[in-house]
Amino acid sequence: RILSEDYQLPNDPAVIVFQREPGASRAAFEAGIRTALEQLRRMAGTLTVISPLDHERMMDNQAAYALLGLNTQGEDAGTVLEAIRSALPERPGLKITLTGKPVVQDDVNRASMHDLKRAELIGLPLAFLILFYAFGGWIYALIPIAAGCTAVGISMGILYWLGSGLQLELSNFVL
Protein backbone atom coordinates (compact mmCIF):
# COMPACT_ATOMS: atom_id res chain seq x y z
CA ARG A 1 0.00 0.00 0.00
CA ILE A 2 2.85 2.36 0.81
CA LEU A 3 4.39 1.80 -2.63
CA SER A 4 1.05 2.52 -4.23
CA GLU A 5 0.33 5.69 -2.26
CA ASP A 6 3.81 7.22 -1.99
CA TYR A 7 5.38 6.13 -5.27
CA GLN A 8 2.31 5.62 -7.49
CA LEU A 9 3.20 1.97 -8.09
CA PRO A 10 0.32 -0.45 -8.70
CA ASN A 11 -0.76 -2.91 -6.01
CA ASP A 12 0.28 -6.45 -6.97
CA PRO A 13 1.51 -5.52 -10.44
CA ALA A 14 2.00 -7.89 -13.29
CA VAL A 15 5.56 -7.68 -14.55
CA ILE A 16 6.57 -7.83 -18.20
CA VAL A 17 10.18 -8.85 -18.69
CA PHE A 18 11.80 -7.87 -21.98
CA GLN A 19 14.98 -9.71 -22.96
CA ARG A 20 17.18 -8.59 -25.82
CA GLU A 21 18.34 -11.55 -27.86
CA PRO A 22 21.91 -11.69 -29.19
CA GLY A 23 22.35 -9.78 -32.40
CA ALA A 24 19.42 -7.40 -31.82
CA SER A 25 20.20 -3.69 -31.81
CA ARG A 26 19.47 -1.42 -28.87
CA ALA A 27 17.13 0.65 -31.08
CA ALA A 28 15.12 -2.45 -32.08
CA PHE A 29 15.00 -3.50 -28.42
CA GLU A 30 13.58 -0.14 -27.33
CA ALA A 31 11.18 -0.03 -30.29
CA GLY A 32 9.85 -3.46 -29.35
CA ILE A 33 9.28 -2.33 -25.77
CA ARG A 34 7.55 0.84 -26.95
CA THR A 35 5.25 -1.07 -29.33
CA ALA A 36 4.29 -3.66 -26.71
CA LEU A 37 3.51 -1.06 -24.05
CA GLU A 38 1.51 1.12 -26.44
CA GLN A 39 -0.72 -1.86 -27.23
CA LEU A 40 -1.17 -2.58 -23.52
CA ARG A 41 -2.06 1.03 -22.72
CA ARG A 42 -5.01 0.76 -25.11
CA MET A 43 -6.41 -2.30 -23.34
CA ALA A 44 -9.44 -1.95 -21.07
CA GLY A 45 -8.11 -4.18 -18.27
CA THR A 46 -4.76 -2.40 -17.90
CA LEU A 47 -5.04 0.42 -15.43
CA THR A 48 -1.41 1.55 -15.13
CA VAL A 49 1.66 0.96 -17.29
CA ILE A 50 5.07 1.91 -15.88
CA SER A 51 7.59 1.79 -18.69
CA PRO A 52 11.31 1.08 -18.49
CA LEU A 53 11.76 3.71 -21.20
CA ASP A 54 10.68 6.35 -18.66
CA HIS A 55 12.65 4.90 -15.73
CA GLU A 56 16.24 4.01 -16.55
CA ARG A 57 16.65 1.88 -13.41
CA MET A 58 14.18 -0.60 -14.93
CA MET A 59 16.40 -1.24 -17.94
CA ASP A 60 19.91 -2.29 -18.76
CA ASN A 61 21.61 -3.25 -22.01
CA GLN A 62 20.14 -6.78 -22.22
CA ALA A 63 16.88 -6.72 -20.25
CA ALA A 64 14.11 -4.45 -19.01
CA TYR A 65 10.88 -4.78 -17.12
CA ALA A 66 7.59 -2.92 -17.05
CA LEU A 67 4.94 -2.89 -14.33
CA LEU A 68 1.26 -3.29 -15.11
CA GLY A 69 -1.46 -2.34 -12.69
CA LEU A 70 -4.47 -4.45 -13.58
CA ASN A 71 -8.09 -3.41 -13.36
CA THR A 72 -9.84 -6.69 -12.58
CA GLN A 73 -12.94 -5.25 -10.92
CA GLY A 74 -15.84 -7.46 -11.91
CA GLU A 75 -13.62 -9.58 -14.16
CA ASP A 76 -11.63 -12.71 -13.68
CA ALA A 77 -7.89 -11.95 -13.50
CA GLY A 78 -7.29 -14.91 -15.81
CA THR A 79 -9.37 -13.27 -18.53
CA VAL A 80 -7.42 -10.02 -18.28
CA LEU A 81 -4.09 -11.89 -18.26
CA GLU A 82 -5.05 -13.88 -21.35
CA ALA A 83 -5.95 -10.66 -23.14
CA ILE A 84 -2.55 -9.22 -22.15
CA ARG A 85 -0.73 -12.34 -23.37
CA SER A 86 -2.50 -12.21 -26.72
CA ALA A 87 -1.83 -8.47 -27.09
CA LEU A 88 1.92 -8.82 -26.60
CA PRO A 89 3.59 -8.78 -30.02
CA GLU A 90 6.18 -11.28 -31.15
CA ARG A 91 9.17 -9.42 -32.49
CA PRO A 92 12.46 -10.79 -33.76
CA GLY A 93 15.29 -10.11 -31.34
CA LEU A 94 12.98 -9.58 -28.36
CA LYS A 95 11.70 -12.15 -25.88
CA ILE A 96 8.71 -11.02 -23.79
CA THR A 97 7.68 -12.83 -20.59
CA LEU A 98 4.73 -12.08 -18.32
CA THR A 99 5.15 -12.74 -14.59
CA GLY A 100 4.29 -11.28 -11.18
CA LYS A 101 1.87 -12.12 -8.38
CA PRO A 102 -1.35 -12.06 -10.46
CA VAL A 103 0.22 -14.31 -13.11
CA VAL A 104 1.54 -16.83 -10.58
CA GLN A 105 -1.77 -16.80 -8.67
CA ASP A 106 -3.68 -17.42 -11.91
CA ASP A 107 -1.40 -20.37 -12.75
CA VAL A 108 -1.89 -21.83 -9.25
CA ASN A 109 -5.67 -21.39 -9.53
CA ARG A 110 -5.76 -23.17 -12.88
CA ALA A 111 -3.62 -26.06 -11.64
CA SER A 112 -5.71 -26.40 -8.45
CA MET A 113 -9.00 -26.44 -10.35
CA HIS A 114 -7.65 -29.02 -12.80
CA ASP A 115 -6.45 -31.23 -9.95
CA LEU A 116 -9.74 -30.82 -8.07
CA LYS A 117 -11.78 -31.90 -11.11
CA ARG A 118 -9.54 -34.89 -11.66
CA ALA A 119 -9.76 -35.93 -8.01
CA GLU A 120 -13.56 -35.73 -8.12
CA LEU A 121 -13.73 -37.79 -11.31
CA ILE A 122 -11.68 -40.55 -9.70
CA GLY A 123 -12.63 -40.20 -6.03
CA LEU A 124 -16.43 -40.18 -6.16
CA PRO A 125 -16.87 -43.33 -8.27
CA LEU A 126 -14.21 -45.12 -6.22
CA ALA A 127 -15.88 -44.08 -2.96
CA PHE A 128 -19.23 -45.29 -4.31
CA LEU A 129 -17.76 -48.69 -5.22
CA ILE A 130 -16.16 -49.12 -1.81
CA LEU A 131 -19.34 -48.06 -0.01
CA PHE A 132 -21.45 -50.29 -2.25
CA TYR A 133 -19.27 -53.26 -1.35
CA ALA A 134 -19.20 -52.36 2.37
CA PHE A 135 -22.93 -51.66 2.79
CA GLY A 136 -24.25 -54.16 0.28
CA GLY A 137 -26.58 -51.85 -1.68
CA TRP A 138 -26.56 -48.80 -3.86
CA ILE A 139 -29.04 -46.80 -1.77
CA TYR A 140 -26.93 -47.28 1.35
CA ALA A 141 -23.81 -46.32 -0.60
CA LEU A 142 -25.40 -43.10 -1.88
CA ILE A 143 -26.36 -41.79 1.58
CA PRO A 144 -22.80 -40.89 2.71
CA ILE A 145 -21.95 -39.51 -0.74
CA ALA A 146 -25.08 -37.33 -0.74
CA ALA A 147 -24.25 -36.11 2.79
CA GLY A 148 -20.72 -35.25 1.68
CA CYS A 149 -21.92 -33.39 -1.40
CA THR A 150 -24.44 -31.46 0.71
CA ALA A 151 -21.76 -30.51 3.24
CA VAL A 152 -19.44 -29.33 0.46
CA GLY A 153 -22.23 -27.29 -1.13
CA ILE A 154 -23.12 -25.61 2.16
CA SER A 155 -19.44 -24.90 2.89
CA MET A 156 -18.97 -23.35 -0.55
CA GLY A 157 -22.03 -21.17 0.02
CA ILE A 158 -20.63 -19.95 3.35
CA LEU A 159 -17.25 -19.22 1.74
CA TYR A 160 -18.96 -17.34 -1.08
CA TRP A 161 -20.87 -15.27 1.47
CA LEU A 162 -17.66 -14.54 3.41
CA GLY A 163 -15.80 -13.55 0.25
CA SER A 164 -18.43 -11.38 -1.38
CA GLY A 165 -20.66 -10.25 1.47
CA LEU A 166 -17.91 -9.35 3.92
CA GLN A 167 -15.38 -8.34 1.25
CA LEU A 168 -12.79 -10.87 2.45
CA GLU A 169 -10.05 -12.01 0.10
CA LEU A 170 -9.99 -15.81 0.14
CA SER A 171 -7.41 -18.06 -1.44
CA ASN A 172 -8.52 -20.96 -3.59
CA PHE A 173 -6.74 -23.21 -1.07
CA VAL A 174 -9.71 -22.89 1.30
CA LEU A 175 -11.40 -25.41 -0.98
Side-chain angles (χ1 to χ4, degrees):
R1 200 179 83 213
I2 293 171
L3 289 174
S4 175
E5 293 171 1
D6 294 346
Y7 300 103
Q8 289 74 43
L9 294 176
N11 286 330
D12 299 328
V15 180
I16 300 179
V17 179
F18 301 95
Q19 292 176 301
R20 182 174 153 193
E21 294 180 351
S25 70
R26 174 82 178 197
F29 180 55
E30 290 181 7
I33 293 171
R34 189 172 294 108
T35 301
L37 296 181
E38 285 173 2
Q39 287 179 341
L40 293 176
R41 281 188 176 104
R42 290 191 290 259
M43 290 183 57
T46 306
L47 185 62
T48 308
V49 177
I50 299 176
S51 171
L53 301 174
D54 300 333
H55 303 282
E56 64 185 48
R57 292 176 295 155
M58 298 171 68
M59 185 173 187
D60 67 16
N61 198 32
Q62 297 300 318
Y65 68 93
L67 300 177
L68 297 178
L70 304 179
N71 181 12
T72 57
Q73 300 292 61
E75 261 190 271
D76 179 33
T79 306
V80 173
L81 291 171
E82 277 305 313
I84 290 171
R85 282 186 182 108
S86 64
L88 291 174
E90 289 189 26
R91 295 183 63 109
L94 179 65
K95 180 180 178 191
I96 302 174
T97 308
L98 186 62
T99 187
K101 182 182 176 185
V103 177
V104 172
Q105 186 65 41
D106 183 56
D107 289 344
V108 168
N109 288 346
R110 287 177 193 234
S112 295
M113 293 306 290
H114 177 266
D115 292 346
L116 184 63
K117 287 178 185 176
R118 186 171 179 198
E120 288 175 351
L121 285 174
I122 295 169
L124 284 177
L126 186 62
F128 177 76
L129 289 174
I130 292 169
L131 290 170
F132 179 79
Y133 178 73
F135 292 140
W138 66 274
I139 293 178
Y140 302 116
L142 284 177
I143 292 172
I145 291 177
C149 290
T150 303
V152 167
I154 290 170
S155 298
M156 294 292 224
I158 291 170
L159 289 173
Y160 176 78
W161 176 76
L162 287 173
S164 63
L166 299 178
Q167 301 299 317
L168 294 178
E169 187 174 327
L170 300 173
S171 170
N172 64 324
F173 293 111
V174 297
L175 297 176

